[in-house]
Amino acid sequence: MASNALFFGWNRSIPGRERVSEQHFGDFVEYLTGLREQGTIQSFDVTFLNPHGGDMNGFFLIRGESADLSAVMATEEWTVHMTRAAMHLEGAGAVRGATGDMAMARMAIWGDCIPD
């Protein structure tokens, strides 16, 4: 399993735009399914968090090779999805990350950077 990740999270739908969010969610899942079937990404998971009073209520975790994830983020289609999301979701954002063995390597780098 790839250790490179692309995290897309959000807080909640902007009030009054919940149906727009519902439609876009389906469109985004379809888009990611196509990327997975083409072999562009390895996998994706979506998580809806239980109500907890925080400012993050759901996210997609997309896994793939680093170059492939960078290429996805450079496409117009990705930009359109992120622009659409910003118009109906509060706190929508995407960031690259590491999982698995790569997360452990990043933790080691972090530990090495702690001043004595």
Side-chain angles (χ1 to χ4, degrees), residues 30-41 72 77-78:
E30 186 177 309
Y31 166 67
L32 293 176
T33 299
L35 291 177
R36 185 184 62 215
E37 289 171 353
Q38 296 166 14
T40 304
I41 64 172
V72 166
E77 194 167 12
W78 176 264

Side-chain angles (χ1 to χ4, degrees), residues 34-100:
L35 291 177
R36 185 184 62 215
E37 289 171 353
Q38 296 166 14
T40 304
I41 64 172
Q42 185 176 24
S43 65
F44 70 92
D45 293 307
V46 62
T47 301
F48 283 90
L49 302 176
N50 291 337
H52 59 92
D55 61 1
M56 178 171 291
N57 289 294
F59 62 90
F60 284 87
L61 186 63
I62 305 160
R63 292 182 184 89
E65 296 302 322
S66 183
D68 293 334
L69 294 177
S70 293
V72 166
M73 293 179 75
T75 65
E76 183 175 336
E77 194 167 12
W78 176 264
T79 301
V80 168
H81 279 294
M82 294 301 103
T83 302
R84 285 177 65 192
M87 295 178 143
H88 63 82
L89 292 173
E90 292 179 354
V95 64
R96 292 288 303 272
T99 64

Side-chain angles (χ1 to χ4, degrees), residues 3 7 11 14 17-18 23 43 47 51 58 75 78 84 86 110-111:
S3 294
F7 179 92
N11 180 3
I14 295 170
R17 298 189 183 170
E18 294 87 355
Q23 176 62 47
S43 65
T47 301
T75 65
W78 176 264
R84 285 177 65 192
W110 178 79

